[in-house]
Amino acid sequence: MIKDGVLDGVEAIFAMHVDYRMPTGAIAAHAGPTQAAVCFYEAKIEGKTGKAETPHLSVDPVVAASFAILSLQQIISREDDPLHSQVLAVTYVKGGNAIDATPPVIEFGGTLRSLTTEGLYRLQKRVKEVVEGQAAVHRCKGAVRIKEDDYPMYPAVFNDEKLHHHVETVSRQLLGPDKVKPGEKIMAGEDFAFYQQLVPGVMFGIGIRNEEVGSIHTAHNPHFFVDEDVIPIGAALHTAIAEMYLTERSTVGEEGILHSH
């Protein structure tokens, strides 16, 4: 969509995302970092296969991978500010299946996440250094690949402070002050962040929770069901946000342009 020029001439952008935790029609938002920059990685450690009874004739990638995985756990706890929100997860390990032989290769991988895009780049760099270094210590060869082809890296969602205040002001007027809640930071990724790299914007949540109709599950749950009463509320809110933004821009003698997601 960006390549097709959808953001050409746009100066502000607003988005809402359903939230099953809040009652239908309530919203939650906050300024600054909101959702994580995300990537996925895979690591490969190559050794030399051999019989279990002659370990001196093989180069064991299992031991090297074990040390690498344990060392990776130190990156966030020992190298970064504890107030920063980051995730370094190893979610799978694959190797041989023989009970009497050392496998030639161990593969493992997972996901890296940070509430800042810069933090994610640091994680990527250190994961590569740790895996390659631990492999070398154990006479193996290590390599890390960021899976950008299969899963493009997402930058972090960062809500513009002025636009955030605009959303809160309009929402209080339209929905009532009791319907506007402070938002939460989460470590999930969101491709709205790609738009925000080019245009100041805000993404906020709108509640859909209604136990009577079964709207109680997260959007990625197979039992997800949306309370459709939220549709006119969300449509009205988007309209009001755009209308009042343009009105405010026109009062200072400037043309306001809005792209609403």
Side-chain angles (χ1 to χ4, degrees):
M1 290 177 66
I2 292 173
K3 289 180 180 179
D4 288 342
V6 72
L7 295 182
D8 292 352
V10 174
E11 68 177 42
I13 182 168
F14 302 92
M16 63 176 68
H17 194 297
V18 295
D19 189 332
Y20 76 101
R21 299 168 300 176
M22 296 190 298
T24 297
I27 76 148
H30 66 89
T34 300
Q35 289 173 257
V38 177
C39 75
F40 298 88
Y41 72 94
E42 60 181 12
K44 179 183 290 186
I45 295 183
E46 297 182 54
K48 178 183 177 183
T49 188
K51 293 293 184 181
E53 65 266 24
T54 54
H56 59 294
L57 300 179
S58 64
V59 178
D60 192 345
V62 176
V63 174
S66 300
F67 272 89
I69 291 170
L70 288 174
S71 297
L72 290 176
Q73 307 310 308
Q74 307 298 317
I75 293 176
I76 293 177
S77 66
R78 294 292 137 227
E79 297 183 14
D80 208 353
D81 187 329
L83 297 179
H84 291 174
S85 298
Q86 296 187 324
V87 172
L88 193 167
V90 178
T91 57
Y92 73 87
V93 179
K94 298 190 294 186
N97 53 19
I99 60 174
D100 62 349
T102 299
V105 176
I106 294 292
E107 296 178 354
F108 63 89
T111 182
L112 308 176
R113 297 167 186 246
S114 172
L115 272 180
T116 67
T117 305
E118 296 77 15
L120 185 64
Y121 285 131
R122 286 197 301 272
L123 279 180
Q124 291 177 346
K125 178 176 181 291
R126 287 297 290 138
V127 166
K128 291 179 180 179
E129 291 173 348
V130 168
V131 170
E132 292 171 2
Q134 285 293 345
V137 166
H138 295 88
R139 300 180 298 141
C140 294
K141 180 181 179 181
V144 174
R145 183 176 78 91
I146 305 299
K147 297 169 69 69
E148 293 182 307
D149 294 334
D150 302 322
Y151 307 97
M153 190 194 97
Y154 280 24
V157 173
F158 190 93
N159 283 343
D160 181 85
E161 186 170 357
K162 290 183 179 179
L163 297 180
H164 161 72
H165 290 313
H166 174 73
V167 168
E168 283 198 325
T169 300
V170 175
S171 300
R172 289 192 181 101
Q173 293 175 359
L174 184 69
L175 306 176
D178 60 316
K179 297 290 187 180
V180 181
K181 312 292 183 182
E184 297 179 356
K185 300 175 183 179
I186 61 173
M187 300 307 289
E190 168 57 53
D191 54 12
F192 183 74
F194 288 107
Y195 297 150
Q196 289 180 315
Q197 288 188 309
L198 302 175
V199 179
V202 172
M203 184 170 213
F204 58 96
I206 186 165
I208 60 166
R209 190 172 187 85
N210 184 338
E211 295 184 8
E212 291 183 4
V213 300
S215 183
I216 57 174
H217 300 287
T218 176
H220 300 285
N221 187 293
H223 300 290
F224 174 75
F225 183 82
V226 64
D227 179 9
E228 294 187 357
D229 286 348
V230 78
I231 295 175
I233 300 172
L237 182 56
H238 253 330
T239 302
I241 287 171
E243 207 167 36
M244 293 185 70
Y245 178 87
L246 292 171
T247 300
E248 290 172 6
R249 297 294 281 146
S250 64
T251 58
V252 294
E254 297 183 62
E255 180 184 1
I257 304 170
L258 174 89
H259 173 78
S260 183
H261 170 72

